[in-house]
Amino acid sequence: RKEVEQDPGPFNVPEGATVAFNCTYSNSASQSFFWYRQDCRKEPKLLMSVYSSGNEDGRFTAQLNRASQYISLLIRDSKLSDSATYLCVVLGSGGGGADGLTFGKGTHLIIQP
Amino acid sequence: NAGVTQTPKFRILKIGQSMTLQCTQDMNHNYMYWYRQDPGMGLKLIYYSVGAGITDKGEVPNGYNVSRSTTEDFPLRLELAAPSQTSVYFCASSYTGQINSPLHFGNGTRLTVT
């Protein structure tokens, strides 16, 4: 099983729809989880951290399911500007530094007008 | 406050040539990182530094060298460039190494080795 696995997509979604995608991770001792957003030919930027209790930031909701070892990202009322690649990032069990981060390959989302 | 600045943005190298990718940050971050991103792949950590004078290997360090003489600068050196080093290179920094400190990435350097 790959360390961090994401469906590469693309997910083609009409504007205004709700879309959700998951990311699975193999290390059950993983400590922290994040979603980064990467626009085409740009650098990744932190979208949100994922907390055990789930967290929401505007139209975005992130959830963690430790039992099944996956995190999810839900986008409501999708906008054209949400079109991007969403990277799942997991911190392994060794150390606390960002050198322990594993990046998924990303899920490509296309919002269509 | 420019954040993380990388130069050059693009570069084409011939096999066997060498070059240095520059990275500087003005946020007084202690931690700095170099990643490479190949098409359809996740970012891979090449080298990182927890402060001036300290560097450590990441997941894919072969063929690269780094130095950290100042807090601001973290150049990545490619010696004897190979086609396998064709990639997009991202420099990043964070305030501390703790994971709740988000990574701030530079704009990237697109390198082609032919």
Side-chain angles (χ1 to χ4, degrees):
Chain A
R1 184 177 182 183
K2 294 179 183 175
E3 287 190 62
V4 176
E5 200 154 359
Q6 297 182 251
D7 182 341
F11 284 53
N12 290 284
V13 175
E15 190 176 9
T18 295
V19 60
F21 29 85
N22 293 339
C23 163
T24 58
Y25 60 95
S26 60
N27 184 352
S28 60
S30 295
Q31 299 178 27
S32 303
F33 309 88
F34 309 86
W35 286 104
Y36 275 72
R37 172 196 168 124
Q38 186 173 24
D39 293 313
C40 186
R41 301 177 76 84
K42 299 286 190 182
E43 72 276 20
K45 293 182 180 178
L46 179 67
L47 178 66
M48 57 197 305
S49 303
V50 186
Y51 302 121
S52 296
S53 55
N55 49 299
E56 189 174 308
D57 183 3
R59 297 181 294 108
F60 297 84
T61 300
Q63 298 215 309
L64 167 63
N65 186 317
R66 283 196 182 273
S68 300
Q69 293 182 211
Y70 73 87
I71 65 171
S72 63
L73 180 66
L74 177 84
I75 306 174
R76 288 181 300 278
D77 186 25
S78 54
K79 313 290 184 191
L80 295 176
S81 57
D82 294 334
S83 297
T85 297
Y86 291 84
L87 307 178
C88 171
V89 185
V90 176
L91 176 65
S93 55
D99 52 289
L101 289 172
T102 300
F103 285 77
K105 296 178 183 180
T107 295
H108 189 198
L109 174 65
I110 301 171
I111 306 299
Q112 296 175 326
Chain B
N1 192 336
V4 179
T5 302
Q6 288 183 238
T7 57
K9 284 186 168 45
F10 305 92
R11 184 71 186 268
I12 298 174
L13 283 182
K14 294 189 186 303
I15 294 171
Q17 287 185 319
S18 60
M19 75 164 293
T20 299
L21 282 66
Q22 301 293 344
C23 176
T24 187
Q25 52 92 9
D26 61 1
M27 297 176 283
N28 201 31
H29 285 173
N30 289 324
Y31 283 65
M32 296 188 74
Y33 313 83
W34 275 105
Y35 289 91
R36 60 176 287 171
Q37 185 176 35
D38 299 320
M41 301 296 288
L43 277 78
K44 301 292 185 185
L45 183 64
I46 304 171
Y47 270 96
Y48 67 101
S49 168
V50 304
I54 305 169
T55 61
D56 278 294
K57 294 179 180 179
E59 185 181 355
V60 290
N62 291 343
Y64 307 94
N65 278 300
V66 293
S67 60
R68 185 92 183 273
S69 57
T70 66
T71 299
E72 294 78 20
D73 300 307
F74 191 41
L76 177 72
R77 178 85 177 160
L78 278 73
E79 304 282 2
L80 298 175
S84 61
Q85 292 179 304
T86 294
S87 190
V88 180
Y89 291 85
F90 288 103
C91 178
S93 71
S94 63
Y95 181 60
T96 71
Q98 293 307 307
I99 200 49
N100 288 330
S101 297
L103 290 174
H104 297 262
F105 285 88
N107 292 338
T109 296
R110 294 184 177 277
L111 175 67
T112 302
V113 182
T114 61

